[in-house]
Each structure stands twice: as structure tokens, then as C-alpha cells.
Amino acid sequence: MSEDKKAKAVDQTTEMQPKKAKDKHATAAKVEKKLKKHLKSSAEVETLKAQVTDLNGKVDAITDQYIRAKAEIANIQKRNEKEQANLVKYDGQNLAKDILPVIDNLERALAIEVTDENGKQLKKGIQMVFDHMSKALKDNHVTEIEAVGKPFDPHIHQAVQTVAVKDGEKADQVVSVLQKGYMLKDRVLRPAMVAVSQ
């Protein structure tokens, strides 16, 4: 190899060395830039993950509130339907309660013994009024509570007197009725005031 060629080869090698060094430096810079970008991206990913977790928690809370509100609305609707059904079922309850004292007074008037013709005519008229009112009550599902000879039931009877048990009687039995009790369908309008054997 000639000297010129050798010198030229050495010059090219020398020229290439700085270029390789520059390339290595540029590559290191690119890697460092990518690494910083990746680290920045990782931090962003962690931030986004935290936000997603927070948003999922909020969505769960809102979903829970929605389900609870929906259940509450359903309960309110059921309660309202039940109240409406009770209003229809027990329609006229207040009127029936107000009529019961009138029925009591008519029964008292009918219990009076009369001997003259005017008294008998008056009693007949009272009987007609009593019969019509009793029929009206029955037609509207108001019934008398059976009491005498029945076991005492605090739900439908009100014990206002106790009497000693006689032969052939059982304890806690209704012996007599002091004031009749009435029911509207399955609801007690007025408990029967009774004497109970003890």
C-alpha cells in the first residue's frame, strides 16, 4: 500500500471517529429523551389510573343512590296503593261511628215497656227506624261483635267489669254485654263493653 493511501485511510478513520462519537451522543440523547417521555407517560398513566378509580367510586356511589331512590319510590307507591285500598275498603267508617250512638239510643227506647196504644204506635215507629238503620249498616259491612258466651278477646272486647265464675262457666268468658261493639269488615269500629268471668 502506498503512503498516500495509508494517509488517506488514517484521515478517513479519524474523520469517522468523531462522526461515530456524534452518533453515539445523539443516540444517547434520543434514549434519554424517550426515557424521560416514558417516565412522564408513566406518571400520567398513574394519574389517569387514580382518576379512573376516583370516577369509578363516584359512579358506584351514584348508582347506589339511584337504586336506593328507586326502591324508596317503589315503597312509596306500594304504601300509597295500600292506603288507597284501605280508603276504599273502610269508606264510611266515620259515618258508621257517628251512627252507633243513635242505634244505642233506639235500642234503649225499644227496651221500654209500653201499655197504651199511643206508646205502642210510637214504639212501632222507633222499631221501623231501627230496622232501616240496622239494614243500612249491614249493607255497608258494619256488623255487631258477638260477645256473650265467647272467650274474652282484648282486640274486640273491652272488659269493664268482672264477675265470679259460676258453675258450668269457664274463666275469661264474656258473661254479659254492657254496650254492643261493632266492626267494619275486619276493623273494629267500637269494642264491645263486657263483663268477664274471673
PDB file of all heavy atoms in Angstrom, residues 93-116:
ATOM      1  N   GLN A  93    -116.345   4.830  57.398  1.00  0.00           N
ATOM      2  CA  GLN A  93    -116.040   4.446  58.785  1.00  0.00           C
ATOM      3  C   GLN A  93    -116.488   5.525  59.767  1.00  0.00           C
ATOM      4  O   GLN A  93    -117.103   5.228  60.785  1.00  0.00           O
ATOM      5  CB  GLN A  93    -114.547   4.188  58.929  1.00  0.00           C
ATOM      6  CG  GLN A  93    -114.122   3.865  60.345  1.00  0.00           C
ATOM      7  CD  GLN A  93    -112.643   3.543  60.447  1.00  0.00           C
ATOM      8  OE1 GLN A  93    -112.067   3.021  59.510  1.00  0.00           O
ATOM      9  NE2 GLN A  93    -112.045   3.851  61.567  1.00  0.00           N
ATOM     10  N   ASN A  94    -116.196   6.779  59.460  1.00  0.00           N
ATOM     11  CA  ASN A  94    -116.560   7.866  60.370  1.00  0.00           C
ATOM     12  C   ASN A  94    -118.079   8.006  60.501  1.00  0.00           C
ATOM     13  O   ASN A  94    -118.597   8.231  61.593  1.00  0.00           O
ATOM     14  CB  ASN A  94    -115.932   9.188  59.922  1.00  0.00           C
ATOM     15  CG  ASN A  94    -114.434   9.188  60.097  1.00  0.00           C
ATOM     16  OD1 ASN A  94    -113.898   8.484  60.940  1.00  0.00           O
ATOM     17  ND2 ASN A  94    -113.735   9.967  59.293  1.00  0.00           N
ATOM     18  N   LEU A  95    -118.780   7.864  59.381  1.00  0.00           N
ATOM     19  CA  LEU A  95    -120.240   7.935  59.420  1.00  0.00           C
ATOM     20  C   LEU A  95    -120.808   6.809  60.280  1.00  0.00           C
ATOM     21  O   LEU A  95    -121.698   7.025  61.107  1.00  0.00           O
ATOM     22  CB  LEU A  95    -120.821   7.874  58.004  1.00  0.00           C
ATOM     23  CG  LEU A  95    -122.347   7.867  57.912  1.00  0.00           C
ATOM     24  CD1 LEU A  95    -122.921   9.163  58.484  1.00  0.00           C
ATOM     25  CD2 LEU A  95    -122.787   7.664  56.474  1.00  0.00           C
ATOM     26  N   ALA A  96    -120.267   5.612  60.092  1.00  0.00           N
ATOM     27  CA  ALA A  96    -120.738   4.465  60.875  1.00  0.00           C
ATOM     28  C   ALA A  96    -120.499   4.695  62.362  1.00  0.00           C
ATOM     29  O   ALA A  96    -121.376   4.406  63.191  1.00  0.00           O
ATOM     30  CB  ALA A  96    -120.037   3.188  60.414  1.00  0.00           C
ATOM     31  N   LYS A  97    -119.324   5.228  62.720  1.00  0.00           N
ATOM     32  CA  LYS A  97    -119.040   5.516  64.131  1.00  0.00           C
ATOM     33  C   LYS A  97    -120.036   6.514  64.703  1.00  0.00           C
ATOM     34  O   LYS A  97    -120.455   6.408  65.857  1.00  0.00           O
ATOM     35  CB  LYS A  97    -117.618   6.064  64.290  1.00  0.00           C
ATOM     36  CG  LYS A  97    -116.551   5.020  64.312  1.00  0.00           C
ATOM     37  CD  LYS A  97    -115.201   5.675  64.582  1.00  0.00           C
ATOM     38  CE  LYS A  97    -114.100   4.645  64.646  1.00  0.00           C
ATOM     39  NZ  LYS A  97    -112.789   5.265  64.885  1.00  0.00           N
ATOM     40  N   ASP A  98    -120.403   7.510  63.906  1.00  0.00           N
ATOM     41  CA  ASP A  98    -121.346   8.530  64.367  1.00  0.00           C
ATOM     42  C   ASP A  98    -122.765   7.980  64.513  1.00  0.00           C
ATOM     43  O   ASP A  98    -123.544   8.486  65.325  1.00  0.00           O
ATOM     44  CB  ASP A  98    -121.345   9.725  63.409  1.00  0.00           C
ATOM     45  CG  ASP A  98    -120.045  10.515  63.464  1.00  0.00           C
ATOM     46  OD1 ASP A  98    -119.297  10.366  64.457  1.00  0.00           O
ATOM     47  OD2 ASP A  98    -119.766  11.276  62.513  1.00  0.00           O
ATOM     48  N   ILE A  99    -123.106   6.953  63.738  1.00  0.00           N
ATOM     49  CA  ILE A  99    -124.454   6.377  63.796  1.00  0.00           C
ATOM     50  C   ILE A  99    -124.610   5.417  64.976  1.00  0.00           C
ATOM     51  O   ILE A  99    -125.720   5.238  65.489  1.00  0.00           O
ATOM     52  CB  ILE A  99    -124.784   5.668  62.458  1.00  0.00           C
ATOM     53  CG1 ILE A  99    -124.966   6.727  61.370  1.00  0.00           C
ATOM     54  CG2 ILE A  99    -126.014   4.792  62.566  1.00  0.00           C
ATOM     55  CD1 ILE A  99    -125.178   6.167  59.991  1.00  0.00           C
ATOM     56  N   LEU A 100    -123.527   4.825  65.441  1.00  0.00           N
ATOM     57  CA  LEU A 100    -123.626   3.829  66.514  1.00  0.00           C
ATOM     58  C   LEU A 100    -124.323   4.347  67.777  1.00  0.00           C
ATOM     59  O   LEU A 100    -125.165   3.636  68.336  1.00  0.00           O
ATOM     60  CB  LEU A 100    -122.237   3.264  66.843  1.00  0.00           C
ATOM     61  CG  LEU A 100    -121.577   2.451  65.732  1.00  0.00           C
ATOM     62  CD1 LEU A 100    -120.221   1.935  66.187  1.00  0.00           C
ATOM     63  CD2 LEU A 100    -122.460   1.319  65.261  1.00  0.00           C
ATOM     64  N   PRO A 101    -124.040   5.567  68.247  1.00  0.00           N
ATOM     65  CA  PRO A 101    -124.785   6.053  69.426  1.00  0.00           C
ATOM     66  C   PRO A 101    -126.295   6.181  69.161  1.00  0.00           C
ATOM     67  O   PRO A 101    -127.109   5.973  70.068  1.00  0.00           O
ATOM     68  CB  PRO A 101    -124.158   7.422  69.714  1.00  0.00           C
ATOM     69  CG  PRO A 101    -122.803   7.360  69.099  1.00  0.00           C
ATOM     70  CD  PRO A 101    -122.954   6.484  67.901  1.00  0.00           C
ATOM     71  N   VAL A 102    -126.654   6.500  67.921  1.00  0.00           N
ATOM     72  CA  VAL A 102    -128.076   6.590  67.566  1.00  0.00           C
ATOM     73  C   VAL A 102    -128.716   5.214  67.668  1.00  0.00           C
ATOM     74  O   VAL A 102    -129.824   5.065  68.217  1.00  0.00           O
ATOM     75  CB  VAL A 102    -128.253   7.179  66.145  1.00  0.00           C
ATOM     76  CG1 VAL A 102    -129.715   7.199  65.739  1.00  0.00           C
ATOM     77  CG2 VAL A 102    -127.628   8.564  66.053  1.00  0.00           C
ATOM     78  N   ILE A 103    -128.019   4.201  67.173  1.00  0.00           N
ATOM     79  CA  ILE A 103    -128.515   2.818  67.269  1.00  0.00           C
ATOM     80  C   ILE A 103    -128.682   2.440  68.741  1.00  0.00           C
ATOM     81  O   ILE A 103    -129.693   1.835  69.127  1.00  0.00           O
ATOM     82  CB  ILE A 103    -127.535   1.850  66.566  1.00  0.00           C
ATOM     83  CG1 ILE A 103    -127.556   2.059  65.059  1.00  0.00           C
ATOM     84  CG2 ILE A 103    -127.831   0.401  66.909  1.00  0.00           C
ATOM     85  CD1 ILE A 103    -128.790   1.558  64.356  1.00  0.00           C
ATOM     86  N   ASP A 104    -127.701   2.802  69.579  1.00  0.00           N
ATOM     87  CA  ASP A 104    -127.789   2.508  71.020  1.00  0.00           C
ATOM     88  C   ASP A 104    -129.038   3.138  71.630  1.00  0.00           C
ATOM     89  O   ASP A 104    -129.770   2.494  72.393  1.00  0.00           O
ATOM     90  CB  ASP A 104    -126.546   3.027  71.755  1.00  0.00           C
ATOM     91  CG  ASP A 104    -125.277   2.284  71.371  1.00  0.00           C
ATOM     92  OD1 ASP A 104    -125.368   1.147  70.875  1.00  0.00           O
ATOM     93  OD2 ASP A 104    -124.181   2.859  71.568  1.00  0.00           O
ATOM     94  N   ASN A 105    -129.288   4.405  71.283  1.00  0.00           N
ATOM     95  CA  ASN A 105    -130.453   5.099  71.837  1.00  0.00           C
ATOM     96  C   ASN A 105    -131.761   4.488  71.345  1.00  0.00           C
ATOM     97  O   ASN A 105    -132.732   4.379  72.110  1.00  0.00           O
ATOM     98  CB  ASN A 105    -130.404   6.594  71.500  1.00  0.00           C
ATOM     99  CG  ASN A 105    -129.325   7.313  72.268  1.00  0.00           C
ATOM    100  OD1 ASN A 105    -128.965   6.905  73.374  1.00  0.00           O
ATOM    101  ND2 ASN A 105    -128.787   8.374  71.689  1.00  0.00           N
ATOM    102  N   LEU A 106    -131.795   4.074  70.084  1.00  0.00           N
ATOM    103  CA  LEU A 106    -133.009   3.421  69.564  1.00  0.00           C
ATOM    104  C   LEU A 106    -133.254   2.096  70.292  1.00  0.00           C
ATOM    105  O   LEU A 106    -134.405   1.763  70.615  1.00  0.00           O
ATOM    106  CB  LEU A 106    -132.892   3.202  68.049  1.00  0.00           C
ATOM    107  CG  LEU A 106    -132.933   4.464  67.178  1.00  0.00           C
ATOM    108  CD1 LEU A 106    -132.614   4.128  65.730  1.00  0.00           C
ATOM    109  CD2 LEU A 106    -134.288   5.155  67.279  1.00  0.00           C
ATOM    110  N   GLU A 107    -132.171   1.339  70.553  1.00  0.00           N
ATOM    111  CA  GLU A 107    -132.328   0.077  71.296  1.00  0.00           C
ATOM    112  C   GLU A 107    -132.846   0.330  72.709  1.00  0.00           C
ATOM    113  O   GLU A 107    -133.680  -0.426  73.218  1.00  0.00           O
ATOM    114  CB  GLU A 107    -131.005  -0.684  71.341  1.00  0.00           C
ATOM    115  CG  GLU A 107    -130.659  -1.338  70.035  1.00  0.00           C
ATOM    116  CD  GLU A 107    -129.336  -2.099  70.078  1.00  0.00           C
ATOM    117  OE1 GLU A 107    -128.445  -1.724  70.877  1.00  0.00           O
ATOM    118  OE2 GLU A 107    -129.193  -3.052  69.316  1.00  0.00           O
ATOM    119  N   ARG A 108    -132.369   1.385  73.344  1.00  0.00           N
ATOM    120  CA  ARG A 108    -132.844   1.721  74.696  1.00  0.00           C
ATOM    121  C   ARG A 108    -134.334   2.085  74.664  1.00  0.00           C
ATOM    122  O   ARG A 108    -135.101   1.697  75.553  1.00  0.00           O
ATOM    123  CB  ARG A 108    -132.030   2.881  75.278  1.00  0.00           C
ATOM    124  CG  ARG A 108    -130.645   2.485  75.710  1.00  0.00           C
ATOM    125  CD  ARG A 108    -129.911   3.636  76.417  1.00  0.00           C
ATOM    126  NE  ARG A 108    -128.496   3.383  76.446  1.00  0.00           N
ATOM    127  CZ  ARG A 108    -127.584   3.939  75.653  1.00  0.00           C
ATOM    128  NH1 ARG A 108    -127.947   4.841  74.779  1.00  0.00           N
ATOM    129  NH2 ARG A 108    -126.320   3.611  75.756  1.00  0.00           N
ATOM    130  N   ALA A 109    -134.710   2.837  73.636  1.00  0.00           N
ATOM    131  CA  ALA A 109    -136.123   3.216  73.512  1.00  0.00           C
ATOM    132  C   ALA A 109    -136.996   1.987  73.277  1.00  0.00           C
ATOM    133  O   ALA A 109    -138.104   1.884  73.813  1.00  0.00           O
ATOM    134  CB  ALA A 109    -136.302   4.224  72.376  1.00  0.00           C
ATOM    135  N   LEU A 110    -136.471   1.035  72.503  1.00  0.00           N
ATOM    136  CA  LEU A 110    -137.239  -0.187  72.230  1.00  0.00           C
ATOM    137  C   LEU A 110    -137.320  -1.093  73.461  1.00  0.00           C
ATOM    138  O   LEU A 110    -138.237  -1.922  73.560  1.00  0.00           O
ATOM    139  CB  LEU A 110    -136.622  -0.952  71.054  1.00  0.00           C
ATOM    140  CG  LEU A 110    -136.786  -0.285  69.677  1.00  0.00           C
ATOM    141  CD1 LEU A 110    -135.953  -1.005  68.633  1.00  0.00           C
ATOM    142  CD2 LEU A 110    -138.251  -0.253  69.267  1.00  0.00           C
ATOM    143  N   ALA A 111    -136.396  -0.947  74.380  1.00  0.00           N
ATOM    144  CA  ALA A 111    -136.410  -1.787  75.585  1.00  0.00           C
ATOM    145  C   ALA A 111    -137.459  -1.337  76.598  1.00  0.00           C
ATOM    146  O   ALA A 111    -137.805  -2.083  77.510  1.00  0.00           O
ATOM    147  CB  ALA A 111    -135.027  -1.765  76.227  1.00  0.00           C
ATOM    148  N   ILE A 112    -138.001  -0.142  76.435  1.00  0.00           N
ATOM    149  CA  ILE A 112    -139.016   0.367  77.369  1.00  0.00           C
ATOM    150  C   ILE A 112    -140.351  -0.338  77.089  1.00  0.00           C
ATOM    151  O   ILE A 112    -140.789  -0.440  75.945  1.00  0.00           O
ATOM    152  CB  ILE A 112    -139.179   1.902  77.209  1.00  0.00           C
ATOM    153  CG1 ILE A 112    -137.869   2.605  77.569  1.00  0.00           C
ATOM    154  CG2 ILE A 112    -140.339   2.417  78.063  1.00  0.00           C
ATOM    155  CD1 ILE A 112    -137.854   4.081  77.250  1.00  0.00           C
ATOM    156  N   GLU A 113    -140.990  -0.810  78.167  1.00  0.00           N
ATOM    157  CA  GLU A 113    -142.295  -1.465  78.046  1.00  0.00           C
ATOM    158  C   GLU A 113    -143.382  -0.390  77.965  1.00  0.00           C
ATOM    159  O   GLU A 113    -143.389   0.567  78.725  1.00  0.00           O
ATOM    160  CB  GLU A 113    -142.552  -2.360  79.265  1.00  0.00           C
ATOM    161  CG  GLU A 113    -141.671  -3.591  79.325  1.00  0.00           C
ATOM    162  CD  GLU A 113    -141.932  -4.573  78.185  1.00  0.00           C
ATOM    163  OE1 GLU A 113    -143.099  -4.678  77.734  1.00  0.00           O
ATOM    164  OE2 GLU A 113    -140.968  -5.215  77.727  1.00  0.00           O
ATOM    165  N   VAL A 114    -144.258  -0.562  77.013  1.00  0.00           N
ATOM    166  CA  VAL A 114    -145.385   0.367  76.859  1.00  0.00           C
ATOM    167  C   VAL A 114    -146.693  -0.425  76.934  1.00  0.00           C
ATOM    168  O   VAL A 114    -146.762  -1.579  76.508  1.00  0.00           O
ATOM    169  CB  VAL A 114    -145.301   1.158  75.544  1.00  0.00           C
ATOM    170  CG1 VAL A 114    -144.164   2.136  75.575  1.00  0.00           C
ATOM    171  CG2 VAL A 114    -145.182   0.253  74.344  1.00  0.00           C
ATOM    172  N   THR A 115    -147.757   0.237  77.472  1.00  0.00           N
ATOM    173  CA  THR A 115    -149.050  -0.459  77.619  1.00  0.00           C
ATOM    174  C   THR A 115    -150.155   0.229  76.838  1.00  0.00           C
ATOM    175  O   THR A 115    -151.066  -0.430  76.343  1.00  0.00           O
ATOM    176  CB  THR A 115    -149.451  -0.518  79.101  1.00  0.00           C
ATOM    177  OG1 THR A 115    -149.439   0.797  79.647  1.00  0.00           O
ATOM    178  CG2 THR A 115    -148.516  -1.432  79.872  1.00  0.00           C
ATOM    179  N   ASP A 116    -150.087   1.532  76.665  1.00  0.00           N
ATOM    180  CA  ASP A 116    -151.170   2.221  75.953  1.00  0.00           C
ATOM    181  C   ASP A 116    -150.952   2.192  74.448  1.00  0.00           C
ATOM    182  O   ASP A 116    -149.861   1.895  73.958  1.00  0.00           O
ATOM    183  CB  ASP A 116    -151.318   3.656  76.473  1.00  0.00           C
ATOM    184  CG  ASP A 116    -150.105   4.506  76.194  1.00  0.00           C
ATOM    185  OD1 ASP A 116    -149.008   3.940  76.076  1.00  0.00           O
ATOM    186  OD2 ASP A 116    -150.259   5.739  76.087  1.00  0.00           O
TER     187      ASP A 116
END
